[in-house]
Amino acid sequence: MPIDVYWRIGTHGDQRSLRNRLVSRGDWSPVVPGSIAPGLRGGRPDGYTHLDHMADVARASELSGFVGGLLPSFPFTDDPWAAAASLARETTTYRFMIAYQPGFLHPVQAARMSATLQSATGGRVVYNIISGGGGPAQLWWGDKVDHDDRYARTSEFLDVLKGVWEDGPFDYDGRFYRVEGARLPAHLAGQPFPEIYFSGSSPAAIEAAGRHADHYLSWLEPFPALAAKFDQVREHSAATGRTPRFAVRADVLARETEEEAWEEIRRGWRHVDPARLTGPGATGDSVGWLRGQSFVDWPVRGFRELEAAPNVWGGFHLLRGGPAFGLVGSYRQVAARLDELVELGVDAFILAGVPHLEEAHRVGERVLPLLRGPVRTPVRTAKGNL
């Protein structure tokens, strides 16, 4: 079966490299010499926006062989729904994986929005369902629902969304949602339902994923831990008669040689605040984050102490925002580790690199062709849609 490989599109700006955390492109930070999209030319604004930069990343990753891109959602990012609608016309076959928390949309409205985008793009919408990591970021949204109830709410949300999409008129009387006679407009009915990538590492998340996920999505972890987590999802899925598939989100730092790759890490490590090397820090109630940090023997002094397994490095969060674990090594080593994950049952990846634009070309052209299995390449139709 072909592997789906997505790239990440930063919806909040980007660094120029892992060596320096200064955001210099595609953001709302003050424009200074060296900034791009927006930037300066002859001392004047160059007319480009952060959306232009996102479009560059989408086109670059589509050209380099990625099936689509993840559009993240945080309090400090652009809205991924609006971004997907804007970027769809910049690409031809590229799928947009929209990250969102169900608690902040009504499922009937989510169904109408999604079906509209499916109709406009020829079926290029994919869901990344997240239920929130708690803490200040969750309160920013005005959401005070506790951890396990957020997953119960997500499960109800998807029950309603699917019911409206597939069985309207649809009635539902649940703990979080109640609808009567809900349905899609006639001209939107019949659109393909988006694939669901479902995130979360807690027992409540794994149970909900077993019911709803087309792909259970995990951050990268040491491979034995991932295998054990996948077995838990399989167990919960068996009770519903579903056969789960698995996806992994991972940063990639790949170079011609392993030494070159680790040199990039070393140069970025010089700028890490020593106070961050004592422990994982505050995280809200995200089980996935705490789980990832449990694989590190804190405190650490040198960057190679964060290598949990060959080429599996747990310090990316110290060089840029986001999850801790990613792959570091030569092009062949990184491809080999991805092949090992496929052997564990993974058939989809969301990869990322800093900076997103240049690394999309590098990973797409130098790593993906080395994978043993085929990578899905969407075929452009006469209308330019999937």
Side-chain angles (χ1 to χ4, degrees), residues 31-50:
V31 177
V32 298
S35 297
I36 62 174
L40 299 174
R41 182 171 299 176
R44 297 177 177 273
D46 61 10
Y48 290 90
T49 69
H50 64 278

Side-chain angles (χ1 to χ4, degrees), residues 26 45 94 105 112 114 126 175 183 192 206 225 281 293 314 327-328 384:
Y94 201 71
L105 278 175
R112 186 175 68 161
S114 303
V126 180
R175 179 181 168 198
R183 66 194 310 168
I206 289 173
Q293 296 303 291
L327 300 175
V328 180

Side-chain angles (χ1 to χ4, degrees), residues 71-272:
L71 294 168
S73 178
F74 296 101
F76 51 84
T77 68
D78 280 327
D79 177 77
W81 293 94
S86 299
L87 296 173
R89 295 180 67 87
E90 303 290 335
T91 58
T92 54
T93 65
Y94 201 71
R95 302 175 185 175
F96 293 93
M97 185 183 292
I98 298 172
Y100 70 99
Q101 296 189 39
F104 312 135
L105 278 175
H106 193 280
V108 178
Q109 173 64 2
R112 186 175 68 161
M113 288 170 56
S114 303
T116 299
L117 271 176
Q118 288 290 62
S119 176
T121 65
R124 292 193 275 151
V125 176
V126 180
Y127 287 155
N128 175 19
I129 301 295
I130 51 180
S131 295
Q138 202 70 21
L139 293 175
W140 183 90
W141 299 98
D143 187 15
K144 297 183 179 181
V145 175
D146 67 24
H147 180 278
D148 286 5
D149 280 348
R150 290 201 299 272
Y151 285 98
R153 180 179 63 188
T154 292
S155 195
E156 277 198 14
F157 175 97
L158 291 171
D159 284 339
V160 175
L161 197 156
K162 291 177 181 177
V164 171
W165 195 293
E166 299 170 356
D167 303 318
F170 181 74
D171 297 337
Y172 189 89
D173 188 2
R175 179 181 168 198
F176 297 95
Y177 300 103
R178 179 179 298 174
V179 298
E180 296 181 7
R183 66 194 310 168
L184 287 174
H187 68 283
L188 295 179
Q191 292 297 323
F193 190 81
E195 276 190 289
I196 295 176
Y197 283 67
F198 197 108
S199 306
S201 294
S202 68
I206 289 173
E207 181 178 3
R211 288 188 56 202
H212 295 286
D214 296 305
H215 281 88
Y216 172 73
L217 173 62
S218 175
W219 287 342
L220 183 67
E221 297 177 353
F223 294 3
L226 272 180
K229 188 193 291 187
F230 292 166
D231 285 342
Q232 288 181 291
V233 176
R234 291 187 181 99
E235 181 180 344
H236 283 283
S237 297
T240 63
R242 295 169 58 85
T243 301
R245 291 179 289 170
F246 299 99
V248 166
R249 157 81 173 90
D251 270 51
V252 169
L253 200 169
R255 295 294 185 267
E256 190 67 43
T257 67
E258 182 179 13
E259 292 74 21
E260 290 177 75
W262 285 115
E263 175 62 14
E264 286 290 314
I265 298 295
R266 186 191 67 77
R267 295 175 71 176
W269 189 261
R270 295 180 298 182
H271 304 288
V272 173

